Structures are given as structure tokens and as C-alpha cells.
Amino acid sequence: MRIDDYKPKQNVTEKVNGEEAEWKNGDIVLISSGTASGKSYFIRNKLEQLADQQNVNILLLVNRKNLYDQNKEAIDNSLFSRIKVELYQTIENQLNEGKEYDFSPYTYIVCDESHYFTTDSGFNDNSDDSLQAILGLQSQIRIFMSATGHVLFSYIKEQYRHKLKQKGNKLWSYFIPIKFNQIASLSFYTDFYAVEKWIKRKFNKANDKIIYFADTIQRLLSFM
């Protein structure tokens, strides 16, 4: 699978089309786009250029250590950067200790992989703490980016669009359709044993490979 198979016709920079210069403190920005749509490029180039012109800083929040390391390495390799990378969990740990996270050095709060707030909430009771801390900010531009953030984005639109308007702020929304042409077919099932039979029938050659995600170890072991 080539990366071009995922690239949309329009990238994030083209979609925003310079409107980042119109965002103002207190606004919320939603960016919904998939893999290879240029979300990171937009933040580390276009938005950082604007932040440099404004002499302000960007806080880039991520949900996983490997993503933190990737962004940290890219930023550390630049001669000068306006971006600081942080984990959501760092904010949550401080809140759990009764401390407030200091957002004041930053004008732009970028929440990458922001579906974290809803997808991790089933096993992480603290994810809502960082979300509410960010949504409660009044002096920053909050940017939420995700390929699968529809639940979070719907919540923000429903709960905050009117509140923002009352305060003279705006909710900006940018949506880029995700390409699914790399998927040959999609099937649904309710019977586990039907899946087992389908796999044996469909992938019966020695060099066939599959990835199977199971909800229990026992079920996974049944395929081995």
C-alpha cells in the first residue's frame, strides 16, 4: 500500500487556505482529515510561521509516547521552534495532584489525535479532565485534529458553538473526506465461528497473511 493511496485531493493547508490568520483567542478549530492529509505539516510549517510572526508559542498535545518522540525529534532538529510537545497524560497527572497546568505561555493549543478524549475514556477516567481544562481556556486558540473525531467534534459543536458566539468567538470547522479506495471489501459478522471458516476459506495459501484483532486473549489463541 502506497502513501499516495491515502492522500486526499485537498490537504489541510489548502483547506484552511490562510484562514488561520483570522483565528482569534478564544476560538475553537476542528480539523477532520485522514492519514497523509498534511495535519502535521500544517502545524509545523504554516501555523508555526504565523506564530513566529506573532511572536507567540504553540503547545502540541499528543496521546502516545511514540508520537511524542516523533514530534520531539522533528522539532529538536530545527534551529528554532515555537512548538512544545506534551502528552495529554502530563496535564492529567498534574490535575490529579491538585495542580493546574500552565497554558499561559501558549497562544495555540493543538490537540493532535484528539479522538483520544472519547476513545480512551472507557479505560482512562482522566481523559475528560484534560479535555475540560482545554475547553475551559479563554485566552487561547484551541485546535482539535483527528481522522476519527466525529464523536468529540459533535459534542464540541453542540455544547460550544452557541457559547462561543455569545462571547464574540467562532467555531471553525474544516472537513476533508477520507479516501477508502484502498479497502477492497468490508464485511460484518455476528458469529465468531463464521469468521473462522471465512478466514480458512479465503486465506488458504501458505504465504497468505492477515491481521486479526480480538477482544480477548482466549479468542485470539483459538486461531493459533
Side-chain angles (χ1 to χ4, degrees):
M1 188 67 65
R2 302 172 304 164
I3 194 67
D4 286 345
D5 293 328
Y6 295 94
K7 283 186 177 179
K9 293 181 180 179
Q10 190 178 38
N11 61 43
V12 171
T13 299
E14 293 168 337
K15 186 69 177 180
V16 175
N17 194 29
E19 287 185 346
E20 67 271 16
E22 301 176 32
W23 302 344
K24 63 180 184 179
N25 292 1
D27 286 356
I28 293 178
V29 181
L30 308 178
I31 299 176
S32 176
S33 64
T35 302
S37 61
K39 294 190 291 292
S40 295
Y41 176 88
F42 172 76
I43 298 301
R44 295 207 296 256
N45 291 271
K46 291 297 183 180
L47 188 63
E48 186 171 21
Q49 288 175 13
L50 178 62
D52 195 39
Q53 293 169 13
Q54 298 170 335
N55 195 30
V56 299
N57 298 311
I58 300 169
L59 178 63
L60 175 59
L61 297 169
V62 296
N63 61 333
R64 299 288 181 262
K65 184 64 164 57
N66 61 344
L67 190 56
Y68 171 90
D69 292 337
Q70 290 171 14
N71 281 281
K72 191 76 165 54
E73 181 180 4
I75 290 167
D76 287 347
N77 286 336
S78 62
L79 294 175
F80 175 78
S81 180
R82 292 278 181 182
I83 302 174
K84 179 185 178 181
V85 187
E86 193 78 276
L87 287 163
Y88 294 115
Q89 292 86 348
T90 300
I91 297 174
E92 293 157 11
N93 289 339
Q94 288 198 19
L95 294 173
N96 279 338
E97 293 172 0
K99 305 174 184 176
E100 291 188 5
Y101 186 88
D102 185 11
F103 293 99
S104 63
Y106 312 101
T107 293
Y108 297 95
I109 312 297
V110 180
C111 300
D112 196 12
E113 305 291 347
S114 59
H115 53 269
Y116 159 83
F117 294 118
T118 51
T119 57
D120 280 35
S121 62
F123 57 87
N124 179 5
D125 294 336
N126 300 319
S127 61
D128 190 57
D129 295 338
S130 54
L131 174 61
Q132 296 307 320
I134 294 164
L135 287 174
L137 296 172
Q138 303 294 321
S139 302
Q140 285 82 10
I141 299 167
R142 292 139 308 162
I143 304 167
F144 297 86
M145 306 191 304
S146 177
T148 56
H150 50 279
V151 174
L152 174 68
F153 291 177
S154 294
Y155 166 76
I156 292 175
K157 288 176 182 178
E158 181 180 331
Q159 296 295 322
Y160 287 89
R161 189 191 298 275
H162 183 61
K163 293 178 182 178
L164 290 170
K165 189 175 181 180
Q166 285 182 320
K167 295 178 180 179
N169 286 110
K170 184 174 178 179
L171 192 152
W172 303 78
S173 184
Y174 304 93
F175 172 76
I176 298 175
I178 299 174
K179 292 173 65 175
F180 293 103
N181 56 310
Q182 72 274 17
I183 300 175
S185 65
L186 186 64
S187 303
F188 297 87
Y189 68 91
T190 55
D191 184 356
F192 168 72
Y193 297 103
V195 177
E196 186 176 15
K197 291 178 183 177
W198 182 81
I199 290 174
K200 290 179 179 178
R201 184 178 71 252
K202 189 76 174 179
F203 304 98
N204 52 21
K205 297 177 182 178
N207 60 345
D208 283 341
K209 294 181 180 180
I210 69 167
I211 298 177
Y212 177 76
F213 297 95
D215 57 353
T216 64
I217 293 176
Q218 290 75 16
R219 182 160 289 185
L220 183 62
L221 291 174
S222 67
F223 276 115
M224 300 176 68

